[in-house]
Amino acid sequence: MLSDQDHIEGLFPEAATNWDLDRLYADLQTVSGKEIKAVEKACLRGLLCRYRPGQLAFKLAWTSGALRVELNKGLYRSLEAIADQPSNTLRWEKVPEWLENKGYKMQRQNLHSSPENSQVNFKPNSVDWGEAPNIQAFYGRTDEVAKLEQWILGDRCHLLAVCGMGGIGKTALVVKLAENIHTKFDYFIWRSLRGAQPTAQLLADLLQFLGFAHTGCSISDLLEILRQKRCLIVLDDFEATLQDGELVGAYRQGCEGYAEFLQRIGFERHQSSLILIGREQPKEISMNQGEDQLIRHYKVNGLQRQGAFELLRARGFTGSENGLEALVQQYRGNPSALRIVAGTIQELFNGNVSEFLKQTALALGDVLRTLLYQQFERLSKLEKDVLYWLAIKHRPISLSTLRSQMNLQTSGSELIDALESLRWRSLIEKLTEQGEVMFLLEPVVLKYVSRKFVEEVSKEVVVIAMQQDLKSINLLRSHTLVEDLAPDSIRAMQIRLILKPIKDKFAKAIAQNNIELDTLREKLANAQPSQVSEDSTYIDSNLALIGVWW
Ligand SMILES: Nc1ncnc2c1ncn2[C@@H]1O[C@H](COP(=O)(O)OP(=O)(O)O)[C@@H](O)[C@H]1O
Ligand SMILES: [Mg+2]
């Protein structure tokens, strides 16, 4: 067991990567004339890593009010002193900037090497599957995989965009393609852009993988490597770089560089290939693609009859049921839809396909939503909680992680039962990663559950603000909105897909209903620890993230 002291000292170790902490602690001690407490050091590290005070309090298991008092009387005043700032002017979000100006941020050796010194150290380990899923069951599409193989290996296509609606099987198809061809390349790298990484960040990531030891990170640097070595790059979820609600083709802020990125990879001379996967075709591709060009577009449709039947057979049908043919037609071979309806038919209609078809004549677009709604509403509280967690996590997680993060009162076996039941309903998938069993959401379900979570939490926080107390708190206690320790790309996604929409809805409700937050903030700050953060719940950090609280 870690002692409290060890726990505090172990918090936010990543601050040491960029900051000269020893010198900083020593200087703080000099100006204050006192030993710096472990709690203060931890808060300082946290602030340097851009955590909010509310999150720091949560991590330290203090109430926010108590921590504010503590920091106000000590650390904040010393920080003002070493940053040469007037007393009582500290704003916590300014701390990194102040200390950087005072030279406490370390310059990384390789960050400023001159271009002449830059070099490419080609690494022998040249395969990185990144966030690519492990596709265990893949049916049909033999001709499609062969055709794309020919395009990439035979025709040496530079840029291939694989497009189609969500859940149609784009990612699975490209995983199969890449499994077949990646050994023909010097380098293979898969990245998902669902966190809408800015172009510069992706470039830095690719160049680092390719062994490029210099930080200019320009598109020209990447092209130089694509000329020297044969690389296969896959960028999944490319639509995340495009703006919502805009005409097709406008990039999000920070992502504008993808236009040049695509154009240059498409048109310049080199020996590599880039495969994009996305719902929409970027306009750099639609304007220039053609079967006689090195830029191509492939539209993914549903599975053909044979593949669809194989999929249904794997889900308990014999293949000779009445109505199976009509079912495949109705859902146009969409593998996600078929998987989900197959579960529903088995569960609610005893496997009777005709009966199911008679009762639901839904179009494909509605089917997923309606089926998911029906399925979701029938779930137990524990099952819903599990789905929400998997949606927040946005990646496969193990039973033990799920259990520890959920702070479950229930026994492990109930959680296992819930997971089994969700799997049986085809809402989650199970896979084995390095010998460990992991769970994740079906892609279509992920979208639905994330939206539902945002909706529920938004309602909850509005009620809290209207009632000015925490009586109706529920999901904000049991689920985190953004994970402190998740990889950056996941955090970025949680912020974009979960936190931001909740904050937007909350801001709108506050404005519409003239809600005052001051009384609530006062109450929270004065609350006894047991009222706010009984055992270790996520309330403090969630309220801080939404901005109900500082
Ligand atoms: N050919 C296939 N055979 C079996 N299952 C498939 C096939 N294609 C896709 N799936 C399954 O359907 C679901 C959606 O596929 P996915 O590739 O993630 O869709 P997309 O990337 O188009 O959103 C996944 O669970 C995937 O495993
Ligand atoms: Mg996909």
Side-chain angles (χ1 to χ4, degrees):
M1 253 319 263
L2 282 181
S3 71
D4 280 357
Q5 186 74 12
D6 290 341
H7 165 71
I8 292 174
E9 283 172 3
L11 287 173
F12 315 115
E14 62 274 30
T17 331
N18 292 320
W19 299 90
D20 189 349
L21 294 178
D22 290 339
R23 189 158 67 87
L24 198 45
Y25 296 152
D27 291 353
L28 285 169
Q29 189 159 328
T30 312
V31 293
S32 68
K34 289 191 294 226
E35 183 90 17
I36 312 293
K37 295 183 202 164
V39 168
E40 294 175 313
K41 287 183 182 171
C43 288
L44 176 58
R45 291 194 299 275
L47 290 173
L48 292 174
C49 298
R50 302 199 174 275
Y51 285 87
R52 292 162 160 268
Q55 294 172 302
L56 301 182
F58 175 67
K59 289 272 181 189
L60 289 160
W62 284 46
T63 66
S64 289
L67 188 68
R68 183 165 34 173
V69 172
E70 175 72 26
L71 296 177
N72 270 324
K73 72 175 189 235
L75 180 70
Y76 284 176
R77 304 290 82 82
S78 312
L79 284 170
E80 285 160 355
I82 60 171
D84 290 328
Q85 300 287 335
S87 196
N88 293 314
T89 57
L90 181 138
R91 294 213 329 264
W92 58 266
E93 63 272 36
K94 284 278 171 200
V95 171
E97 191 183 312
W98 282 3
L99 296 179
E100 184 170 0
N101 291 341
K102 287 288 163 189
Y104 289 101
K105 192 160 187 176
M106 292 190 288
Q107 307 282 327
R108 279 205 235 136
Q109 285 307 305
N110 62 352
L111 281 184
H112 297 286
S113 58
S114 64
E116 305 84 66
N117 297 337
S118 74
Q119 51 177 332
V120 180
N121 301 313
F122 287 117
K123 287 189 287 186
N125 176 8
S126 53
V127 173
D128 181 347
W129 280 95
E131 302 89 342
N134 186 359
I135 307 289
Q136 279 160 337
F138 186 79
Y139 308 108
R141 301 216 195 270
T142 328
D143 296 345
E144 295 171 64
V145 174
K147 175 175 181 161
L148 297 179
E149 250 182 78
Q150 168 61 26
W151 281 9
I152 301 273
L153 295 181
D155 306 348
R156 297 200 156 225
C157 206
H158 280 181
L159 183 52
L160 164 63
V162 174
C163 301
M165 67 179 284
I168 196 78
K170 304 177 291 293
T171 300
L173 173 65
V174 177
V175 165
K176 284 296 142 189
L177 171 68
E179 279 174 3
N180 290 355
I181 64 175
H182 77 275
T183 51
K184 303 280 193 298
F185 291 81
D186 300 315
Y187 285 90
F188 166 64
I189 181 167
W190 180 295
R191 286 291 178 262
S192 162
L193 292 178
R194 60 187 167 208
Q197 290 92 314
T199 322
Q201 189 182 330
L202 178 80
L203 268 176
D205 181 16
L206 293 178
L207 284 164
Q208 188 192 9
F209 169 72
L210 296 166
F212 184 79
H214 153 55
T215 49
C217 289
S218 68
I219 297 176
S220 303
D221 295 328
L222 179 66
L223 274 150
E224 183 54 41
I225 298 179
L226 301 187
R227 274 190 280 277
Q228 289 180 34
K229 293 281 165 181
R230 187 136 199 250
C231 308
L232 177 60
I233 302 172
V234 178
L235 298 179
D236 197 358
D237 305 299
F238 193 78
E239 70 276 350
T241 64
L242 302 169
Q243 268 176 30
D244 301 325
E246 289 283 323
L247 288 176
V248 172
Y251 287 93
R252 265 175 205 284
Q253 205 182 358
C255 294
E256 300 87 350
Y258 286 110
E260 185 191 348
F261 180 87
L262 297 188
Q263 251 160 8
R264 293 190 59 186
I265 292 182
F267 286 113
E268 290 190 19
R269 284 173 171 274
H270 58 79
Q271 50 168 338
S272 303
S273 298
L274 169 64
I275 303 178
L276 291 187
I277 307 173
R279 300 214 174 127
E280 307 165 18
Q281 194 180 158
K283 67 174 182 304
E284 290 71 27
I285 292 184
S286 49
M287 287 181 332
N288 301 305
Q289 57 94 24
E291 294 238 354
D292 54 347
Q293 302 291 322
L294 295 180
I295 301 180
R296 298 207 188 152
H297 167 242
Y298 186 76
K299 166 101 192 305
V300 182
N301 292 312
L303 298 178
Q304 302 277 329
R305 183 180 181 281
Q306 195 192 344
F309 268 69
E310 279 177 47
L311 187 151
L312 290 169
R313 254 182 244 120
R315 306 203 81 76
F317 293 92
T318 62
S320 60
E321 285 86 355
N322 278 336
L324 218 50
E325 200 87 45
L327 185 77
V328 171
Q329 294 260 324
Q330 177 154 353
Y331 298 112
R332 294 190 217 116
N334 181 310
S336 295
L338 288 174
R339 288 172 64 135
I340 292 169
V341 293
T344 310
I345 295 171
Q346 297 288 16
E347 199 184 338
L348 301 183
F349 294 86
N350 270 332
N352 189 333
V353 184
S354 314
E355 198 50 41
F356 167 80
L357 287 172
K358 243 188 264 161
Q359 296 203 19
T360 54
L362 293 168
L364 178 63
D366 299 330
V367 97
L368 295 168
R369 224 170 316 135
T370 312
L371 284 176
L372 284 168
Y373 173 78
Q374 286 172 354
Q375 287 206 326
F376 196 87
E377 294 310 310
R378 299 174 62 247
L379 299 178
S380 68
K381 162 114 175 63
L382 178 59
E383 285 173 313
K384 287 184 186 171
D385 280 348
V386 168
L387 290 185
Y388 287 143
W389 266 108
L390 292 174
I392 297 164
K393 288 276 175 179
H394 225 109
R395 59 195 188 278
I397 56 171
S398 67
L399 177 66
S400 55
T401 315
L402 193 60
R403 219 183 139 192
S404 70
Q405 301 229 302
M406 288 181 77
N407 289 323
L408 275 185
Q409 309 297 333
T410 49
S411 67
S413 64
E414 276 180 60
L415 180 59
I416 294 172
D417 287 348
L419 287 163
E420 271 311 307
S421 147
L422 290 169
R423 218 161 80 80
W424 173 239
R425 298 170 199 266
S426 287
L427 295 172
I428 63 175
E429 291 174 44
K430 183 160 115 177
L431 54 88
T432 311
E433 252 178 29
Q434 285 150 13
E436 192 169 20
V437 178
M438 313 283 271
F439 297 90
L440 75 160
L441 291 181
E442 259 281 332
V444 183
V445 181
L446 173 67
K447 260 184 59 192
Y448 179 85
V449 177
S450 306
R451 234 184 272 152
K452 180 94 187 158
F453 181 69
V454 165
E455 212 176 277
E456 292 295 316
V457 172
S458 307
K459 273 193 232 153
E460 192 173 310
V461 69
V462 171
V463 172
I464 289 171
M466 305 256 270
Q467 298 178 339
Q468 303 271 314
D469 60 40
L470 296 181
K471 284 203 192 86
S472 50
I473 201 145
N474 174 24
L475 292 174
L476 285 165
R477 179 202 305 277
S478 54
H479 292 70
T480 185
L481 303 182
V482 177
E483 282 177 278
D484 286 350
L485 298 177
D488 283 352
S489 59
I490 299 272
R491 279 172 57 85
M493 203 159 47
Q494 291 168 337
I495 291 170
R496 189 166 71 83
L497 300 181
I498 298 176
L499 182 60
K500 171 98 182 9
I502 292 174
K503 284 179 84 158
D504 290 349
K505 283 184 199 232
F506 183 54
K508 210 158 146 199
I510 294 239
Q512 276 171 356
N513 299 302
N514 273 329
I515 301 175
E516 257 304 326
L517 287 177
D518 286 351
T519 327
L520 178 63
R521 286 189 177 133
E522 192 86 348
K523 273 195 196 170
L524 292 174
N526 295 326
Q528 294 303 309
S530 61
Q531 276 172 274
V532 184
S533 42
E534 68 194 28
D535 37 71
S536 49
T537 71
Y538 300 97
I539 301 178
D540 286 24
S541 58
N542 283 339
L543 292 180
L545 285 165
I546 300 175
V548 172
W549 200 358
W550 59 277

